[in-house]
Amino acid sequence: MSVLAGRRLSPLARAVAAVAAAVMFMMVFSAGTASAHGSTIDPPSRNYGCWERWGHDFQNPEMATEDPMCWQAWQHDTNAMWQWNGVYREGVGGDHEGAIPDGQLCSAGRTGGDRYAALDVPGEWHATPVANEFTVTVHDQALHGADYYRVYVTKQGFDPTTDELGWGDLELAGQTGVVPPGEGTPSDDPALGGVSVSIDVEAPGRTGRHIVYMIWQASHFDQTFYGCSDVVFG
């Protein structure tokens, strides 16, 4: 839970907290670049979207009312936002359903302990409008490459505002073969670096809110990345 929650701080204390947070931010993105990984950035994964919208303004109390699902994730563990590129597991060996229980897909089976647990909570997550044919963009910060990317979309009738996500709720909607390390569109965003890979997705018959689920099997190691993105069709 945030150290700022539940109490009013003096101007000096707020300034100290802001400096400490800025130092933490710089440590994550300077010391962490060599070991950086990635996530879905369009439509944004839940934690990448929170970082994109609030990473520069994380002390703004309006997050609680404007983006309540990001707020509850921030209160649960601030690192879910700062370490948006770290939702992965090692040694899965392709058995994704065996490694990740139903209800924990967005946190990759509570990888990192409870750090990403708030990502599994159903609710009014910020949703990106999409058509029934759209493109998913995954960012590979450290040029890992991929044995494959797989993109799933929830079945019609699933309600991400109330339903926990399970494997039986998903249908495969797009995939790639091998993507060599470094292949993709280079990013000129200093907070990203690396390259972006696009995957064409088809999800006929979908209307309303859904979850797009991404699996990225990195090729450099048996390391698999996962991500939940919220979308709205039609």
Side-chain angles (χ1 to χ4, degrees), residues 140 143 145 149 178-185 195-197:
D140 180 356
L143 308 180
Y149 292 93
V178 173
V179 178
E183 183 174 301
T185 303
V195 297
S196 293
V197 177

Side-chain angles (χ1 to χ4, degrees), residues 124-150:
E124 297 281 348
W125 290 91
H126 187 277
T128 302
V130 295
N132 291 105
E133 295 183 6
F134 62 103
T135 300
V136 167
T137 303
V138 181
H139 198 75
D140 180 356
Q141 285 188 307
L143 308 180
H144 291 325
D147 289 346
Y148 56 80
Y149 292 93
R150 293 177 185 164

Side-chain angles (χ1 to χ4, degrees), residues 20-199:
V23 170
M24 177 179 68
F25 177 88
M26 290 186 289
M27 288 175 65
V28 168
F29 286 99
S30 60
T33 51
S35 59
H37 304 293
S39 185
T40 309
I41 62 171
D42 185 24
S45 63
R46 287 177 171 178
N47 50 336
Y48 177 79
C50 290
W51 175 79
E52 187 178 39
R53 292 190 296 277
W54 299 100
H56 65 292
D57 196 23
F58 59 90
Q59 288 183 302
N60 189 337
E62 293 180 359
M63 189 199 313
T65 54
E66 293 182 7
D67 213 341
M69 299 309 295
C70 283
W71 175 252
Q72 62 89 28
W74 170 254
Q75 294 300 299
H76 180 80
D77 191 324
T78 59
N79 284 319
M81 181 188 295
W82 297 123
Q83 297 183 23
W84 57 265
N85 57 7
V87 184
Y88 69 92
R89 299 190 69 87
E90 295 180 345
V92 172
D95 185 12
H96 309 293
E97 295 186 35
I100 300 176
D102 286 344
Q104 298 182 14
L105 275 67
C106 298
S107 68
R110 304 290 165 85
T111 189
D114 281 340
R115 175 182 300 163
Y116 300 109
L119 302 180
D120 292 317
V121 178
E124 297 281 348
W125 290 91
H126 187 277
T128 302
V130 295
N132 291 105
E133 295 183 6
F134 62 103
T135 300
V136 167
T137 303
V138 181
H139 198 75
D140 180 356
Q141 285 188 307
L143 308 180
H144 291 325
D147 289 346
Y148 56 80
Y149 292 93
R150 293 177 185 164
V151 178
Y152 300 80
V153 177
T154 48
K155 299 173 183 177
Q156 188 64 19
F158 178 84
D159 185 352
T161 67
T162 58
D163 301 340
E164 291 188 342
L165 182 62
W167 291 105
D169 299 315
L170 298 174
E171 289 183 342
L172 184 65
Q175 61 184 323
T176 72
V178 173
V179 178
E183 183 174 301
T185 303
S187 173
D188 57 4
D189 185 339
L192 290 179
V195 297
S196 293
V197 177
S198 297
I199 303 108

